[in-house]
Amino acid sequence: MPQGHIENHLSSSSFISDIVIGMSDGLTVPFALAAGVSSAVSNTHIVTTAGIAELVAGAISMGLGGYLAGKTELEHYESEYKTEAWEVDNLPEKEKDEVKEIFLDFGLSPETSQLATEELSKDKTKWIDFMMRLELGLDKPDPKRATKSAANIGGSYIVGGIIPLLPYFFVDTPIDGLKISAVVTLICLFIFGFFKSKATGQPVLSGALKVMIIGAVAAAAAFGVAKAFGA
Amino acid sequence: MPQGHIENHLSSSSFISDIVIGMSDGLTVPFALAAGVSSAVSNTHIVTTAGIAELVAGAISMGLGGYLAGKTELEHYESEYKTEAWEVDNLPEKEKDEVKEIFLDFGLSPETSQLATEELSKDKTKWIDFMMRLELGLDKPDPKRATKSAANIGGSYIVGGIIPLLPYFFVDTPIDGLKISAVVTLICLFIFGFFKSKATGQPVLSGALKVMIIGAVAAAAAFGVAKAFGA
């Protein structure tokens, strides 16, 4: 069943992509923010307060942003669908030429392309679906995608973001917190990068290293800039 | 030219989607973070330091994250392409059945489906392309997408994030900064939401309000949580 195959493929890859988006920013941004604040203040309570403010801000912004993006994708599909439906109703000859052109592009003979076009255009729903997928490259989005996306992105942001902040609760100075936070977070980024690469079929070792390096670069840059500015 | 149409459509929508991702998080997260920190400290210098650390952390994390996502999409396409190419070479009858099934699903008669399948399968490149688009729903990504994505997302995050932080540089107390920052940022979120909705063909007024409300909710939540925790 090609249709079932397509849907499984799409929904699993968008689930993974949501978790990856939330978790990689969740592990990276609160980690780097806390590192930056640590370079400029001497009170761990300020670091954890800023970290928690960032966790809440990031999870809501990314979660609701994911919700809106999912809604927009659905509405975009529906608006393009209406345009194609209107064209099929009102400019059927032009649309048939476009269908025939697509078949010709795939290497079908003019006779078969003509025949296939005539048969396809008997069912308007399938005709429009064909144009959506082959002229516009749009697959029908999952209608529940927006809500799932919001929960997956926001939730994984919080799970990821708590990890780099925890050490600051148990130490006396921000720099002590940063040392433990860096070790713990870089290990978690490596593990996360490993599974992310595995899930997306990438080379696991280089994938894990890349994710860890992004976190380290972001934290080092935030530390350096905040120290220079805070001095 | 259907092919040209498809490419314009995809590249412009991914450019807009990058700017939207960067700018909406850039306007929202530093705004909400600064609001949260303002609720807990009395020194504007701490707010701006935390804000700048967040700006650097967020731009690097999102920019490099966008780069990796673009690379992963390309590699995913290439890996699926290899699988399809292998199947076309080694299991041609099974793949022909899948092609025929797709034509039948579009309402073509068994005879035309058979004919179209035979003609399509004469050119392996077009055969694989057909399977990629109709069995897997995958369009070939732009190879330069990863680099463009990183620059667009990171750049628009910084542009968006500077706006809510600026007021804190010109006032004496964090709460005064927050008042100006909230007014300025909510206006900018509304304007941004307006153009975003226009670009994606959404109702502009409700779109602008939604974007503004997400920012307000994130900032209010970060303020409340940081105040409760910081007390």
Side-chain angles (χ1 to χ4, degrees):
Chain A
M1 295 285 99
Q3 191 60 32
H5 184 152
I6 293 165
E7 286 175 358
N8 282 334
H9 175 88
L10 280 180
S11 68
S12 81
S13 91
S14 51
F15 174 76
I16 290 173
S17 115
D18 285 347
I19 299 290
V20 164
I21 289 170
M23 178 83 53
S24 63
D25 266 26
L27 277 166
T28 310
V29 184
F31 167 48
L33 170 85
V37 176
S38 294
S39 78
V41 303
S42 55
N43 183 340
T44 56
H45 195 59
I46 291 174
V47 180
T48 49
T49 304
I52 282 170
E54 149 64 34
L55 209 58
V56 173
I60 291 177
S61 171
M62 293 196 73
L64 291 185
Y67 178 81
L68 280 197
K71 278 276 177 223
T72 302
E73 191 189 343
L74 192 62
E75 286 163 12
H76 177 67
Y77 182 89
E78 284 164 358
S79 128
E80 295 278 356
Y81 191 94
K82 267 187 202 154
T83 308
E84 285 300 328
W86 185 89
E87 288 177 0
V88 159
D89 278 334
N90 295 281
L91 306 163
E93 292 312 315
K94 179 177 158 286
E95 291 299 297
K96 277 186 192 172
D97 285 348
E98 290 181 7
V99 170
K100 197 179 162 188
E101 188 68 34
I102 290 168
F103 283 129
L104 287 170
D105 276 351
F106 275 120
L108 269 55
S109 68
E111 298 71 36
T112 309
S113 298
Q114 185 62 42
L115 208 60
T117 303
E118 289 305 329
E119 292 179 5
L120 174 71
S121 58
K122 275 177 198 153
D123 184 331
K124 278 189 187 170
T125 311
K126 288 176 176 170
W127 185 2
I128 300 166
D129 184 40
F130 183 88
M131 299 304 286
M132 293 300 288
R133 290 169 68 180
L134 285 167
E135 192 199 9
L136 300 177
L138 294 175
D139 280 295
K140 191 166 171 51
D142 174 1
K144 289 185 193 148
R145 171 108 175 79
T147 318
K148 286 186 212 162
S149 217
N152 294 338
I153 295 177
S156 53
Y157 191 90
I158 289 183
V159 170
I162 285 174
I163 296 168
L165 297 181
L166 273 181
Y168 293 96
F169 286 93
F170 303 105
V171 293
D172 292 327
T173 69
I175 295 298
D176 285 344
L178 175 55
K179 285 175 192 163
I180 305 171
S181 176
V183 172
V184 171
T185 308
L186 293 176
I187 291 171
C188 288
L189 279 167
F190 188 87
I191 295 168
F192 164 69
F194 182 90
F195 284 107
K196 176 193 157 186
S197 306
K198 218 175 169 73
T200 52
Q202 306 304 303
V204 290
L205 203 66
S206 70
L209 278 172
K210 274 184 211 159
V211 167
M212 197 179 77
I213 289 168
I214 291 182
V217 168
F223 184 91
V225 172
K227 195 178 180 69
F229 174 78
Chain B
M1 297 288 99
Q3 191 60 32
H5 185 151
I6 292 166
E7 287 175 359
N8 282 334
H9 174 90
L10 279 180
S11 68
S12 83
S13 90
S14 51
F15 174 76
I16 290 173
S17 116
D18 284 347
I19 299 290
V20 164
I21 290 170
M23 179 85 53
S24 63
D25 266 26
L27 278 166
T28 309
V29 184
F31 167 49
L33 170 85
V37 177
S38 294
S39 78
V41 303
S42 55
N43 183 342
T44 56
H45 195 59
I46 292 175
V47 180
T48 49
T49 303
I52 283 170
E54 149 64 33
L55 209 58
V56 172
I60 291 177
S61 171
M62 291 194 74
L64 292 185
Y67 178 81
L68 280 197
K71 278 278 177 219
T72 302
E73 191 189 344
L74 192 62
E75 287 164 9
H76 178 65
Y77 182 88
E78 283 163 358
S79 126
E80 295 278 356
Y81 191 94
K82 267 188 203 154
T83 307
E84 285 300 329
W86 185 90
E87 288 177 358
V88 159
D89 277 335
N90 295 282
L91 306 164
E93 292 313 314
K94 181 178 156 283
E95 291 300 296
K96 278 186 192 173
D97 285 348
E98 289 180 8
V99 170
K100 196 178 163 188
E101 188 69 33
I102 291 169
F103 282 128
L104 288 170
D105 276 350
F106 275 120
L108 270 55
S109 68
E111 297 71 33
T112 308
S113 298
Q114 185 63 41
L115 208 59
T117 303
E118 289 305 329
E119 292 178 5
L120 174 73
S121 58
K122 276 178 198 151
D123 185 330
K124 278 188 185 169
T125 311
K126 289 175 175 171
W127 185 4
I128 299 166
D129 185 40
F130 183 88
M131 299 304 287
M132 292 300 288
R133 290 167 70 180
L134 286 167
E135 192 200 9
L136 300 176
L138 293 175
D139 280 295
K140 192 168 171 49
D142 174 0
K144 288 185 194 148
R145 171 110 174 78
T147 318
K148 287 187 212 159
S149 217
N152 295 337
I153 295 177
S156 53
Y157 190 91
I158 289 181
V159 170
I162 284 174
I163 297 169
L165 297 182
L166 273 181
Y168 293 95
F169 287 92
F170 303 106
V171 294
D172 292 328
T173 69
I175 295 299
D176 286 344
L178 175 56
K179 285 175 193 162
I180 306 170
S181 176
V183 173
V184 171
T185 308
L186 292 176
I187 291 170
C188 287
L189 280 166
F190 188 87
I191 295 169
F192 164 70
F194 182 90
F195 284 106
K196 177 194 156 182
S197 306
K198 218 175 168 73
T200 52
Q202 307 304 304
V204 289
L205 204 66
S206 71
L209 278 172
K210 273 183 212 161
V211 168
M212 197 177 76
I213 289 167
I214 291 182
V217 169
F223 185 91
V225 172
K227 197 179 179 67
F229 174 78

